[in-house]
PDB file of all heavy atoms in Angstrom:
ATOM      1  N   ARG A 202      30.619 -29.548 -21.762  1.00  0.00           N
ATOM      2  CA  ARG A 202      30.172 -28.206 -21.490  1.00  0.00           C
ATOM      3  C   ARG A 202      31.283 -27.196 -21.993  1.00  0.00           C
ATOM      4  O   ARG A 202      30.964 -26.247 -22.667  1.00  0.00           O
ATOM      5  CB  ARG A 202      29.945 -27.961 -20.012  1.00  0.00           C
ATOM      6  CG  ARG A 202      29.436 -26.587 -19.699  1.00  0.00           C
ATOM      7  CD  ARG A 202      29.300 -26.389 -18.258  1.00  0.00           C
ATOM      8  NE  ARG A 202      28.423 -27.479 -17.661  1.00  0.00           N
ATOM      9  CZ  ARG A 202      27.992 -27.367 -16.437  1.00  0.00           C
ATOM     10  NH1 ARG A 202      28.252 -26.356 -15.674  1.00  0.00           N
ATOM     11  NH2 ARG A 202      27.178 -28.396 -15.951  1.00  0.00           N
ATOM     12  N   ALA A 208      25.900 -25.014 -21.075  1.00  0.00           N
ATOM     13  CA  ALA A 208      25.448 -26.209 -20.364  1.00  0.00           C
ATOM     14  C   ALA A 208      24.175 -26.726 -20.988  1.00  0.00           C
ATOM     15  O   ALA A 208      23.757 -27.801 -20.706  1.00  0.00           O
ATOM     16  CB  ALA A 208      25.181 -25.871 -18.890  1.00  0.00           C
ATOM     17  N   LEU A 219      30.610 -34.960 -32.001  1.00  0.00           N
ATOM     18  CA  LEU A 219      31.050 -35.440 -30.705  1.00  0.00           C
ATOM     19  C   LEU A 219      30.357 -36.737 -30.423  1.00  0.00           C
ATOM     20  O   LEU A 219      30.665 -37.333 -29.376  1.00  0.00           O
ATOM     21  CB  LEU A 219      30.753 -34.380 -29.666  1.00  0.00           C
ATOM     22  CG  LEU A 219      31.560 -33.105 -29.725  1.00  0.00           C
ATOM     23  CD1 LEU A 219      31.089 -32.129 -28.744  1.00  0.00           C
ATOM     24  CD2 LEU A 219      33.085 -33.408 -29.497  1.00  0.00           C
ATOM     25  N   LEU A 220      29.373 -37.124 -31.222  1.00  0.00           N
ATOM     26  CA  LEU A 220      28.661 -38.326 -30.849  1.00  0.00           C
ATOM     27  C   LEU A 220      29.176 -39.516 -31.730  1.00  0.00           C
ATOM     28  O   LEU A 220      29.460 -39.392 -32.922  1.00  0.00           O
ATOM     29  CB  LEU A 220      27.112 -38.215 -31.254  1.00  0.00           C
ATOM     30  CG  LEU A 220      26.403 -37.189 -30.446  1.00  0.00           C
ATOM     31  CD1 LEU A 220      24.971 -37.140 -30.890  1.00  0.00           C
ATOM     32  CD2 LEU A 220      26.430 -37.545 -28.960  1.00  0.00           C
ATOM     33  N   ARG A 236       9.498 -33.826 -44.285  1.00  0.00           N
ATOM     34  CA  ARG A 236       8.948 -32.779 -43.446  1.00  0.00           C
ATOM     35  C   ARG A 236       7.730 -32.121 -44.124  1.00  0.00           C
ATOM     36  O   ARG A 236       7.033 -31.377 -43.476  1.00  0.00           O
ATOM     37  CB  ARG A 236       9.921 -31.783 -43.072  1.00  0.00           C
ATOM     38  CG  ARG A 236      11.203 -32.400 -42.270  1.00  0.00           C
ATOM     39  CD  ARG A 236      11.987 -31.350 -41.663  1.00  0.00           C
ATOM     40  NE  ARG A 236      11.305 -30.897 -40.504  1.00  0.00           N
ATOM     41  CZ  ARG A 236      11.984 -30.365 -39.425  1.00  0.00           C
ATOM     42  NH1 ARG A 236      13.288 -30.245 -39.472  1.00  0.00           N
ATOM     43  NH2 ARG A 236      11.349 -29.948 -38.360  1.00  0.00           N
ATOM     44  N   GLN A 268      28.979 -41.127 -20.441  1.00  0.00           N
ATOM     45  CA  GLN A 268      29.840 -40.999 -19.328  1.00  0.00           C
ATOM     46  C   GLN A 268      30.922 -39.999 -19.701  1.00  0.00           C
ATOM     47  O   GLN A 268      31.546 -40.133 -20.793  1.00  0.00           O
ATOM     48  CB  GLN A 268      30.445 -42.348 -19.022  1.00  0.00           C
ATOM     49  CG  GLN A 268      30.885 -42.584 -17.628  1.00  0.00           C
ATOM     50  CD  GLN A 268      31.183 -44.078 -17.331  1.00  0.00           C
ATOM     51  OE1 GLN A 268      31.821 -44.721 -18.223  1.00  0.00           O
ATOM     52  NE2 GLN A 268      30.681 -44.559 -16.277  1.00  0.00           N
ATOM     53  N   VAL A 284      14.248 -47.796 -31.816  1.00  0.00           N
ATOM     54  CA  VAL A 284      15.541 -47.403 -31.404  1.00  0.00           C
ATOM     55  C   VAL A 284      16.379 -48.659 -31.108  1.00  0.00           C
ATOM     56  O   VAL A 284      15.840 -49.689 -30.749  1.00  0.00           O
ATOM     57  CB  VAL A 284      15.545 -46.503 -30.150  1.00  0.00           C
ATOM     58  CG1 VAL A 284      14.863 -45.136 -30.412  1.00  0.00           C
ATOM     59  CG2 VAL A 284      14.820 -47.139 -28.987  1.00  0.00           C
ATOM     60  N   GLY A 296      15.852 -52.044 -15.205  1.00  0.00           N
ATOM     61  CA  GLY A 296      14.649 -51.143 -15.195  1.00  0.00           C
ATOM     62  C   GLY A 296      15.074 -49.708 -14.871  1.00  0.00           C
ATOM     63  O   GLY A 296      14.260 -48.955 -14.304  1.00  0.00           O
ATOM     64  N   ARG A 319       1.819 -26.686 -18.043  1.00  0.00           N
ATOM     65  CA  ARG A 319       2.828 -26.850 -17.069  1.00  0.00           C
ATOM     66  C   ARG A 319       4.012 -27.819 -17.398  1.00  0.00           C
ATOM     67  O   ARG A 319       4.359 -28.720 -16.567  1.00  0.00           O
ATOM     68  CB  ARG A 319       2.208 -27.260 -15.669  1.00  0.00           C
ATOM     69  CG  ARG A 319       1.049 -26.404 -15.356  1.00  0.00           C
ATOM     70  CD  ARG A 319       0.506 -26.638 -13.999  1.00  0.00           C
ATOM     71  NE  ARG A 319       1.191 -25.957 -12.949  1.00  0.00           N
ATOM     72  CZ  ARG A 319       0.911 -25.956 -11.638  1.00  0.00           C
ATOM     73  NH1 ARG A 319      -0.123 -26.629 -11.229  1.00  0.00           N
ATOM     74  NH2 ARG A 319       1.661 -25.312 -10.768  1.00  0.00           N
ATOM     75  N   GLU A 322       6.894 -28.478 -14.928  1.00  0.00           N
ATOM     76  CA  GLU A 322       6.575 -29.331 -13.775  1.00  0.00           C
ATOM     77  C   GLU A 322       7.005 -30.736 -14.110  1.00  0.00           C
ATOM     78  O   GLU A 322       7.539 -31.526 -13.291  1.00  0.00           O
ATOM     79  CB  GLU A 322       5.090 -29.316 -13.430  1.00  0.00           C
ATOM     80  CG  GLU A 322       4.649 -27.992 -12.808  1.00  0.00           C
ATOM     81  CD  GLU A 322       5.075 -27.819 -11.414  1.00  0.00           C
ATOM     82  OE1 GLU A 322       5.438 -28.790 -10.695  1.00  0.00           O
ATOM     83  OE2 GLU A 322       5.191 -26.674 -10.992  1.00  0.00           O
ATOM     84  N   MET A 327      10.891 -35.103 -13.531  1.00  0.00           N
ATOM     85  CA  MET A 327      11.882 -36.066 -14.134  1.00  0.00           C
ATOM     86  C   MET A 327      13.213 -35.845 -13.440  1.00  0.00           C
ATOM     87  O   MET A 327      13.934 -36.855 -13.222  1.00  0.00           O
ATOM     88  CB  MET A 327      11.947 -35.872 -15.627  1.00  0.00           C
ATOM     89  CG  MET A 327      12.975 -36.779 -16.281  1.00  0.00           C
ATOM     90  SD  MET A 327      12.837 -36.844 -18.060  1.00  0.00           S
ATOM     91  CE  MET A 327      11.722 -38.191 -18.353  1.00  0.00           C
ATOM     92  N   GLN A 328      13.610 -34.686 -13.109  1.00  0.00           N
ATOM     93  CA  GLN A 328      14.897 -34.486 -12.439  1.00  0.00           C
ATOM     94  C   GLN A 328      14.886 -35.130 -11.054  1.00  0.00           C
ATOM     95  O   GLN A 328      15.876 -35.702 -10.671  1.00  0.00           O
ATOM     96  CB  GLN A 328      15.142 -32.948 -12.333  1.00  0.00           C
ATOM     97  CG  GLN A 328      15.485 -32.283 -13.680  1.00  0.00           C
ATOM     98  CD  GLN A 328      15.763 -30.815 -13.556  1.00  0.00           C
ATOM     99  OE1 GLN A 328      15.388 -30.174 -12.665  1.00  0.00           O
ATOM    100  NE2 GLN A 328      16.518 -30.290 -14.541  1.00  0.00           N
ATOM    101  N   GLN A 343      15.995 -27.622 -21.542  1.00  0.00           N
ATOM    102  CA  GLN A 343      16.129 -28.707 -22.639  1.00  0.00           C
ATOM    103  C   GLN A 343      14.854 -29.517 -22.747  1.00  0.00           C
ATOM    104  O   GLN A 343      14.427 -29.810 -23.818  1.00  0.00           O
ATOM    105  CB  GLN A 343      17.273 -29.642 -22.251  1.00  0.00           C
ATOM    106  CG  GLN A 343      18.664 -29.118 -22.394  1.00  0.00           C
ATOM    107  CD  GLN A 343      19.671 -30.097 -21.905  1.00  0.00           C
ATOM    108  OE1 GLN A 343      19.604 -30.678 -20.907  1.00  0.00           O
ATOM    109  NE2 GLN A 343      20.739 -30.200 -22.717  1.00  0.00           N
ATOM    110  N   ARG A 357       0.389 -32.025 -37.217  1.00  0.00           N
ATOM    111  CA  ARG A 357      -0.813 -32.492 -37.883  1.00  0.00           C
ATOM    112  C   ARG A 357      -1.614 -33.574 -37.106  1.00  0.00           C
ATOM    113  O   ARG A 357      -2.693 -33.855 -37.418  1.00  0.00           O
ATOM    114  CB  ARG A 357      -0.474 -33.011 -39.283  1.00  0.00           C
ATOM    115  CG  ARG A 357       0.194 -34.397 -39.325  1.00  0.00           C
ATOM    116  CD  ARG A 357       0.675 -34.678 -40.725  1.00  0.00           C
ATOM    117  NE  ARG A 357       1.315 -36.006 -40.787  1.00  0.00           N
ATOM    118  CZ  ARG A 357       0.878 -37.036 -41.391  1.00  0.00           C
ATOM    119  NH1 ARG A 357      -0.307 -37.041 -42.006  1.00  0.00           N
ATOM    120  NH2 ARG A 357       1.642 -38.174 -41.487  1.00  0.00           N
ATOM    121  N   ILE A 369       2.070 -36.503 -25.002  1.00  0.00           N
ATOM    122  CA  ILE A 369       3.568 -36.440 -25.235  1.00  0.00           C
ATOM    123  C   ILE A 369       4.181 -37.361 -24.194  1.00  0.00           C
ATOM    124  O   ILE A 369       3.884 -37.207 -22.996  1.00  0.00           O
ATOM    125  CB  ILE A 369       4.034 -34.942 -25.115  1.00  0.00           C
ATOM    126  CG1 ILE A 369       3.309 -34.173 -26.227  1.00  0.00           C
ATOM    127  CG2 ILE A 369       5.481 -34.876 -25.259  1.00  0.00           C
ATOM    128  CD1 ILE A 369       3.130 -32.691 -25.826  1.00  0.00           C
ATOM    129  N   GLU A 413      -7.822 -53.071  -4.056  1.00  0.00           N
ATOM    130  CA  GLU A 413      -6.932 -54.281  -4.065  1.00  0.00           C
ATOM    131  C   GLU A 413      -6.289 -54.419  -2.674  1.00  0.00           C
ATOM    132  O   GLU A 413      -5.710 -53.426  -2.101  1.00  0.00           O
ATOM    133  CB  GLU A 413      -5.825 -54.022  -5.089  1.00  0.00           C
ATOM    134  CG  GLU A 413      -4.688 -55.003  -5.065  1.00  0.00           C
ATOM    135  CD  GLU A 413      -5.030 -56.411  -5.324  1.00  0.00           C
ATOM    136  OE1 GLU A 413      -5.713 -56.674  -6.311  1.00  0.00           O
ATOM    137  OE2 GLU A 413      -4.694 -57.301  -4.448  1.00  0.00           O
ATOM    138  N   ALA A 419       3.274 -49.539  -3.877  1.00  0.00           N
ATOM    139  CA  ALA A 419       4.460 -48.890  -3.419  1.00  0.00           C
ATOM    140  C   ALA A 419       4.655 -49.175  -1.976  1.00  0.00           C
ATOM    141  O   ALA A 419       3.737 -49.640  -1.248  1.00  0.00           O
ATOM    142  CB  ALA A 419       4.338 -47.410  -3.597  1.00  0.00           C
ATOM    143  N   PRO A 421       7.017 -47.778   1.799  1.00  0.00           N
ATOM    144  CA  PRO A 421       7.805 -46.680   2.321  1.00  0.00           C
ATOM    145  C   PRO A 421       9.315 -46.961   1.922  1.00  0.00           C
ATOM    146  O   PRO A 421       9.765 -48.054   2.055  1.00  0.00           O
ATOM    147  CB  PRO A 421       7.583 -46.794   3.790  1.00  0.00           C
ATOM    148  CG  PRO A 421       6.261 -47.450   3.917  1.00  0.00           C
ATOM    149  CD  PRO A 421       6.166 -48.451   2.779  1.00  0.00           C
ATOM    150  N   GLY A 422       9.943 -45.930   1.458  1.00  0.00           N
ATOM    151  CA  GLY A 422      11.355 -46.056   1.088  1.00  0.00           C
ATOM    152  C   GLY A 422      11.570 -46.540  -0.289  1.00  0.00           C
ATOM    153  O   GLY A 422      12.678 -46.624  -0.767  1.00  0.00           O
ATOM    154  N   GLY A 425       7.660 -45.384  -5.158  1.00  0.00           N
ATOM    155  CA  GLY A 425       6.260 -45.028  -5.565  1.00  0.00           C
ATOM    156  C   GLY A 425       6.082 -43.521  -5.821  1.00  0.00           C
ATOM    157  O   GLY A 425       5.155 -43.148  -6.531  1.00  0.00           O
ATOM    158  N   ALA A 449     -12.796 -50.360 -13.943  1.00  0.00           N
ATOM    159  CA  ALA A 449     -11.874 -49.567 -14.828  1.00  0.00           C
ATOM    160  C   ALA A 449     -10.428 -49.574 -14.279  1.00  0.00           C
ATOM    161  O   ALA A 449      -9.501 -49.499 -15.142  1.00  0.00           O
ATOM    162  CB  ALA A 449     -12.358 -48.158 -14.929  1.00  0.00           C
ATOM    163  N   ASP A 502      -9.306 -22.414  -4.819  1.00  0.00           N
ATOM    164  CA  ASP A 502      -9.778 -21.171  -5.418  1.00  0.00           C
ATOM    165  C   ASP A 502     -11.324 -21.107  -5.336  1.00  0.00           C
ATOM    166  O   ASP A 502     -11.955 -20.065  -5.321  1.00  0.00           O
ATOM    167  CB  ASP A 502      -9.361 -21.098  -6.905  1.00  0.00           C
ATOM    168  CG  ASP A 502      -7.847 -20.781  -7.047  1.00  0.00           C
ATOM    169  OD1 ASP A 502      -7.235 -20.576  -6.062  1.00  0.00           O
ATOM    170  OD2 ASP A 502      -7.445 -20.882  -8.159  1.00  0.00           O
ATOM    171  N   LEU A 511      -3.444 -38.543   5.316  1.00  0.00           N
ATOM    172  CA  LEU A 511      -3.786 -39.969   5.179  1.00  0.00           C
ATOM    173  C   LEU A 511      -5.260 -40.019   4.921  1.00  0.00           C
ATOM    174  O   LEU A 511      -6.078 -39.351   5.559  1.00  0.00           O
ATOM    175  CB  LEU A 511      -3.494 -40.719   6.499  1.00  0.00           C
ATOM    176  CG  LEU A 511      -1.996 -40.963   6.796  1.00  0.00           C
ATOM    177  CD1 LEU A 511      -1.831 -41.567   8.185  1.00  0.00           C
ATOM    178  CD2 LEU A 511      -1.359 -41.858   5.765  1.00  0.00           C
ATOM    179  N   TYR A 540     -15.112 -52.715  -2.052  1.00  0.00           N
ATOM    180  CA  TYR A 540     -14.143 -53.051  -1.035  1.00  0.00           C
ATOM    181  C   TYR A 540     -14.642 -54.255  -0.239  1.00  0.00           C
ATOM    182  O   TYR A 540     -15.811 -54.154   0.267  1.00  0.00           O
ATOM    183  CB  TYR A 540     -13.859 -51.826  -0.148  1.00  0.00           C
ATOM    184  CG  TYR A 540     -13.024 -52.075   1.114  1.00  0.00           C
ATOM    185  CD1 TYR A 540     -11.766 -52.552   0.927  1.00  0.00           C
ATOM    186  CD2 TYR A 540     -13.506 -51.945   2.409  1.00  0.00           C
ATOM    187  CE1 TYR A 540     -10.943 -52.832   2.038  1.00  0.00           C
ATOM    188  CE2 TYR A 540     -12.720 -52.171   3.512  1.00  0.00           C
ATOM    189  CZ  TYR A 540     -11.382 -52.639   3.285  1.00  0.00           C
ATOM    190  OH  TYR A 540     -10.638 -52.836   4.388  1.00  0.00           O
ATOM    191  N   ARG A 544     -20.151 -52.896  -2.418  1.00  0.00           N
ATOM    192  CA  ARG A 544     -20.082 -51.872  -3.479  1.00  0.00           C
ATOM    193  C   ARG A 544     -20.590 -50.543  -2.892  1.00  0.00           C
ATOM    194  O   ARG A 544     -21.764 -50.410  -2.402  1.00  0.00           O
ATOM    195  CB  ARG A 544     -20.980 -52.231  -4.678  1.00  0.00           C
ATOM    196  CG  ARG A 544     -20.777 -51.543  -5.976  1.00  0.00           C
ATOM    197  CD  ARG A 544     -21.654 -52.316  -6.970  1.00  0.00           C
ATOM    198  NE  ARG A 544     -21.820 -51.563  -8.192  1.00  0.00           N
ATOM    199  CZ  ARG A 544     -21.143 -51.738  -9.260  1.00  0.00           C
ATOM    200  NH1 ARG A 544     -20.199 -52.709  -9.309  1.00  0.00           N
ATOM    201  NH2 ARG A 544     -21.385 -51.011 -10.339  1.00  0.00           N
ATOM    202  N   THR A 560     -14.184 -28.718 -15.632  1.00  0.00           N
ATOM    203  CA  THR A 560     -14.434 -27.534 -16.473  1.00  0.00           C
ATOM    204  C   THR A 560     -13.340 -26.458 -16.267  1.00  0.00           C
ATOM    205  O   THR A 560     -12.812 -25.928 -17.235  1.00  0.00           O
ATOM    206  CB  THR A 560     -15.806 -26.995 -16.225  1.00  0.00           C
ATOM    207  OG1 THR A 560     -16.730 -28.013 -16.424  1.00  0.00           O
ATOM    208  CG2 THR A 560     -16.147 -25.904 -17.236  1.00  0.00           C
ATOM    209  N   MET A 567      -7.286 -25.805 -22.619  1.00  0.00           N
ATOM    210  CA  MET A 567      -7.625 -25.573 -24.037  1.00  0.00           C
ATOM    211  C   MET A 567      -7.717 -24.113 -24.527  1.00  0.00           C
ATOM    212  O   MET A 567      -8.072 -23.860 -25.613  1.00  0.00           O
ATOM    213  CB  MET A 567      -8.960 -26.267 -24.240  1.00  0.00           C
ATOM    214  CG  MET A 567      -8.894 -27.792 -24.035  1.00  0.00           C
ATOM    215  SD  MET A 567     -10.229 -28.920 -24.290  1.00  0.00           S
ATOM    216  CE  MET A 567     -11.621 -27.929 -24.496  1.00  0.00           C
TER     217      MET A 567
END
Side-chain angles (χ1 to χ4, degrees):
R202 182 181 308 190
L219 294 170
L220 296 179
R236 300 194 79 152
Q268 209 165 45
V284 293
R319 311 186 81 175
E322 292 284 339
M327 181 168 266
Q328 289 181 335
Q343 285 177 316
R357 74 187 179 112
I369 300 150
E413 167 64 52
D502 289 351
L511 288 174
Y540 173 61
R544 196 174 166 98
T560 306
M567 295 181 351

